[in-house]
Amino acid sequence: MASSSSLFLLAALLALASWQAIAFDPSPLQDFCVADMSSPVRVNGFVCKDPMAVNSDDFFNPAMLDQPRDTMNKVGSNVTNINVDNFPGLNTLGISLARIDYAPLGVNPPHIHPRATELLTVLEGTLYLGFVTSNPNRLFSKVVKKGDVFVFPKAMIHFQMNLAHDKPAAALSSLNSQNPGVITVASAVFGSKPPISDDLLAKAFQVEKKLIDWLQSQFWENNY
């Protein structure tokens, strides 16, 4: 007969496995759940539209990813998202897309998707990209070209840069969440409202406070 400690360990392992199984977007309990964007009710996602009012257009999104986007900004990139906010038919399906356009030497700055793993496919150009793990902070980086695929694990800090000096680049990103979210590291740390204490940041980054004050005074542009 199993000891009480063995039974406790088994129960703990089962609980952990169960938690891991639900730590993503929930699986749908019906064929579809088109988001009712007019509903004032918000739980952990969106309320379902009446299925009898659903039509084919709810599962269609007009061409948003076929043309390059304007990359004339400070970072030289532009991210076009296709998620539940602009495609209600994705609700509960656990998937979204994004097109990323890069100017010559443009970057998609270090950022995190708190709710999704990202699979990136290069459409045009040559990119330097990578991600950094949690402690110890190991960098996994690669130079990738048209047709190459690279995966960024969930919630890891990651980035991309167009290596060409004279040509734009583009990539398609697939994410396993209907609403993956994004936290851009520099703007979150130095551009939060209200700002984080400059004394705290100076000590955290081991720099003079006047440098932190200068960074906090900058306009942190959003490329999303």
Side-chain angles (χ1 to χ4, degrees):
M1 185 173 180
S3 67
S4 59
S5 59
S6 297
L7 290 173
F8 177 81
L9 178 60
L10 177 61
L13 290 172
L14 288 173
L16 178 60
S18 174
W19 179 84
Q20 289 177 328
I22 62 172
F24 323 52
D25 286 4
S27 297
L29 300 177
Q30 59 279 319
D31 289 344
F32 53 79
C33 174
V34 174
D36 182 357
M37 308 306 286
S38 65
S39 173
V41 178
R42 293 289 184 270
V43 193
N44 189 21
F46 296 89
V47 173
C48 300
K49 187 176 179 180
D50 180 351
M52 298 308 295
V54 170
N55 58 55
S56 298
D57 284 340
D58 289 309
F59 304 102
F60 168 77
N61 196 282
M64 291 182 64
L65 304 180
D66 61 329
Q67 296 295 325
R69 296 302 194 267
D70 180 14
T71 55
M72 294 293 291
N73 54 48
K74 287 187 176 182
V75 295
S77 68
N78 191 328
V79 180
T80 305
N81 289 302
I82 303 292
N83 56 37
V84 70
D85 288 329
N86 53 29
F87 194 173
L90 293 179
N91 195 37
T92 76
L93 299 185
I95 191 169
S96 59
L97 290 172
R99 176 186 171 119
I100 312 166
D101 288 291
Y102 312 85
L105 299 180
V107 302
N108 191 12
H111 62 282
I112 296 167
H113 299 297
R115 296 180 288 276
T117 293
E118 176 179 357
L119 191 67
L120 185 137
T121 304
V122 182
L123 300 176
E124 292 291 342
T126 301
L127 302 176
Y128 167 64
L129 48 68
F131 67 90
V132 179
T133 65
S134 57
N135 293 330
N137 299 133
R138 293 184 63 197
L139 170 64
F140 292 85
S141 63
K142 191 84 174 172
V143 174
V144 293
K145 299 180 180 180
K146 182 177 179 178
D148 289 344
V149 179
F150 194 89
V151 66
F152 303 111
K154 180 180 178 181
M156 297 290 100
I157 295 175
H158 59 285
F159 57 86
Q160 306 102 41
M161 179 180 183
N162 179 8
L163 292 180
H165 291 252
D166 57 350
K167 295 180 181 178
L172 181 68
S173 169
S174 304
L175 303 110
N176 66 338
S177 171
Q178 68 180 38
N179 188 19
V182 62
I183 302 169
T184 303
V185 177
S187 59
V189 173
F190 300 113
S192 66
K193 305 296 183 185
I196 300 172
S197 163
D198 55 359
D199 287 317
L200 183 151
L201 292 178
K203 191 163 189 176
F205 285 92
Q206 296 293 290
V207 297
E208 294 183 11
K209 191 166 71 169
K210 63 182 180 181
L211 176 57
I212 298 297
D213 293 337
W214 180 83
L215 287 167
Q216 290 181 322
S217 71
Q218 302 306 298
F219 174 70
W220 292 95
E221 191 164 347
N222 193 340
N223 64 333
Y224 286 80

